[in-house]
Amino acid sequence: AQLVVSGGGLVQPGGSLRLSCVGSEFRFDIYAIAWLRLAPGKELEWVSSIHSGGGSSWYADSVKGRFTISRHNANNTVFLQLDSLKTEDTAIYYCERLQVRSGCLSDSPQIYCWTNWGQGTQVTVST
C-alpha cells in the first residue's frame, strides 16, 4: 500500500497551491485520509483529515478557513487546496491513512493515529 504526493513548490505569501495524494494497493474508499506537515524546527503536525466517504472534514485551527481538503474516491485521490498561504505554512506535507487502532477516528489529530509512510512534498512560502 502506498500514497504518492505531488503539487508542492515555492509560492509567495498570499498565494495558493494544490496538493494531490494518490493511493494504491489498498481499498482507498474505506479509509479516512489526513494531511500532516513537518515545519523546520517543529514537530509533525496534523493539518486536516477527511472521512472515507468525503462527507466530513476537519482542520487544525492554524489552517481553518484557508485550506480545503477534498477527495475523489473514483480516482483514489485526496486533494489539499492551500490558499492565503503564510510563511509559517512552509513545511513538508505528508498524506497518510488512518490507522486501524483503538481510539483513532477520522478526526483524530494525534500523529500516532496516522500511518508513517513518509513520502511528502515540500511547500515553501517566501518572498
Side-chain angles (χ1 to χ4, degrees):
Q2 62 176 344
L3 292 162
V4 178
V5 179
S6 62
L10 173 64
V11 63
Q12 293 186 342
S16 297
L17 282 173
R18 190 192 198 202
L19 308 183
S20 299
C21 168
V22 179
S24 62
E25 300 175 24
F26 69 95
R27 180 78 187 274
F28 188 82
D29 62 346
I30 65 172
Y31 286 95
I33 301 292
W35 288 93
L36 313 178
R37 68 183 180 185
L38 182 62
K42 296 187 177 181
E43 295 184 351
L44 190 61
E45 173 190 26
W46 170 87
V47 175
S48 178
S49 56
I50 188 166
H51 188 266
S52 58
S56 297
S57 56
W58 302 271
Y59 300 90
D61 288 343
S62 58
V63 306
K64 199 172 294 182
R66 299 188 299 118
F67 291 7
T68 304
I69 192 170
S70 61
R71 69 189 295 162
H72 190 227
N73 283 342
N75 291 338
N76 287 3
T77 305
V78 171
F79 303 98
L80 187 67
Q81 177 69 35
L82 292 68
D83 296 318
S84 302
L85 281 161
K86 305 176 180 180
T87 55
E88 53 262 44
D89 295 318
T90 294
I92 302 173
Y93 285 72
Y94 300 92
C95 171
E96 303 293 351
R97 192 187 80 181
L98 183 66
Q99 299 267 37
V100 181
R101 59 182 292 178
S102 177
C104 290
L105 303 173
S106 300
D107 61 343
S108 292
Q110 297 89 345
I111 298 303
Y112 64 78
C113 284
W114 304 95
T115 55
N116 182 26
W117 292 348
Q119 197 265 337
T121 188
Q122 176 71 47
V123 171
T124 302
V125 185
S126 175
T127 57

